[in-house]
Amino acid sequence: MLNDEMKKIMEDSRPDGWVLEPRAKKLLSLAGLKTPNHAWAKDEAQALKKAAKIGYPVVAKVVSPQVVHKSDVGGVAVGIEDDEQLKEACARFAAMDGYQGVLVEEMASGVEVIIGSKNDEQFGQVVLLGIGGTAVELYKDTVLRLAPIEPSQANQMIHELKGSRLLTGFRGSEAVNLEALAQTVSSFSKLVDELGEEVESIDLNPVMCTPDQCLIADARIMLAGQE
Ligand code: ADP
Ligand code: MG
């Protein structure tokens, strides 16, 4: 069941028609999913403070209800090395439509996968797992299942991917934590199932997988009933 904090996040997001990334990440952590260490800074001073806490290098992203696809408008700066670079990014973001602050985040790395969901009229909530993150369109390597998904079924999904060896170990590269990935897919599917028809689609892209863990580096939750 969704707890009160989760319901509040959904309510706060309704006027925007989608869930801003920092709120989406909060919702996902409440559902037991892992995100890189991050904070929603409301201004430059707060951003600098958060970056000092996280430690450079960091990623900065614009938070704005008007900016759904952040990199399309230059709203993501990765590999920020110091205060000067962070100030520069903050100034750029502050000039963007609907600016509501900056998400300051720890740099993550690993094998990139995408985990998504779509509310299908006929089938209900369909969950997708795919190889590729930003290059997902290139690989066209995805598998689908209906939510909810148990970890053992999620494990099968992983092995059905054509590029599964990228995850299970390839030419000396270590396998990612498959148990953590299966658990991530499963917990995500259960959250999606509980959110129900209020949610039109979710994109976790990229999810960064390492031998240790799976971190959700970006989350976009689109609400139903928007044109
Ligand atoms: P959007 O999809 O809205 O353009 P993302 O949050 O996905 O924005 O960021 C764009 C790209 O920046 C990602 O695809 C990823 O390659 C990189 N990125 C985002 N967050 C991180 C992070 N915490 N660590 C490392 N790279 C990141
Ligand atoms: Mg993204």
Side-chain angles (χ1 to χ4, degrees):
M1 279 297 286
L2 299 183
N3 65 31
D4 288 347
E5 212 175 344
M6 291 160 137
K7 284 182 193 155
K8 171 90 168 52
I9 291 171
M10 296 309 288
E11 265 161 42
D12 289 346
S13 304
R14 221 161 278 145
D16 296 331
W18 63 291
V19 185
L20 292 172
E21 182 179 350
R23 289 199 183 115
K25 283 182 165 162
K26 179 74 197 180
L27 185 73
L28 293 164
S29 8
L30 289 168
L33 294 146
K34 289 208 167 77
T35 60
N37 190 2
H38 67 276
W40 184 356
K42 299 301 161 72
D43 56 30
E44 184 192 273
Q46 277 186 17
L48 291 168
K49 228 186 251 171
K50 305 289 185 193
K53 222 178 199 174
I54 293 169
Y56 289 109
V58 298
V59 182
K61 310 187 198 184
V62 66
V63 179
S64 162
Q66 318 263 42
V67 181
V68 178
H69 298 280
K70 299 174 298 285
S71 358
D72 289 0
V73 298
V76 178
V78 298
I80 292 180
E81 299 282 357
D82 53 36
D83 285 3
E84 275 322 300
Q85 289 180 15
L86 181 56
K87 281 185 193 169
E88 222 171 87
C90 286
R92 207 151 38 81
F93 297 164
M96 291 181 177
D97 281 349
Y99 169 82
Q100 285 189 9
V102 179
L103 188 113
V104 180
E105 183 165 87
E106 162 197 12
M107 284 287 287
S109 60
V111 181
E112 293 191 5
V113 302
I114 175 175
I115 302 174
S117 73
K118 220 173 175 62
N119 187 19
D120 183 276
E121 240 174 67
Q122 208 168 353
F123 297 110
Q125 296 288 358
V126 182
V127 172
L128 170 149
L129 171 68
I131 296 273
T134 35
V136 66
E137 280 108 7
L138 216 68
Y139 293 112
K140 296 197 164 57
D141 187 8
T142 56
V143 285
L144 302 172
R145 280 289 188 295
L146 295 182
I149 300 166
E150 291 306 320
S152 61
Q153 297 173 291
N155 192 48
Q156 284 174 3
M157 290 172 79
I158 296 168
H159 287 90
E160 280 169 27
L161 289 165
K162 288 191 226 88
S164 63
R165 286 175 69 200
L166 285 169
L167 299 165
T168 60
F170 183 65
R171 294 211 177 143
S173 72
E174 226 180 318
V176 309
N177 187 334
L178 295 174
E179 212 173 293
L181 178 55
Q183 189 57 56
T184 300
V185 171
S186 175
S187 302
F188 171 72
S189 76
K190 287 172 186 174
L191 173 66
V192 161
D193 195 39
E194 279 164 11
L195 288 168
E197 291 189 348
E198 193 183 351
V199 168
E200 165 91 21
S201 66
I202 304 183
D203 273 303
L204 310 182
N205 185 17
V207 177
M208 310 274 209
C209 305
T210 69
D212 293 327
Q213 59 186 354
C214 291
L215 295 180
I216 293 149
D218 184 26
R220 180 156 41 240
I221 303 177
M222 306 305 293
L223 303 183
Q226 312 296 316
E227 70 274 28

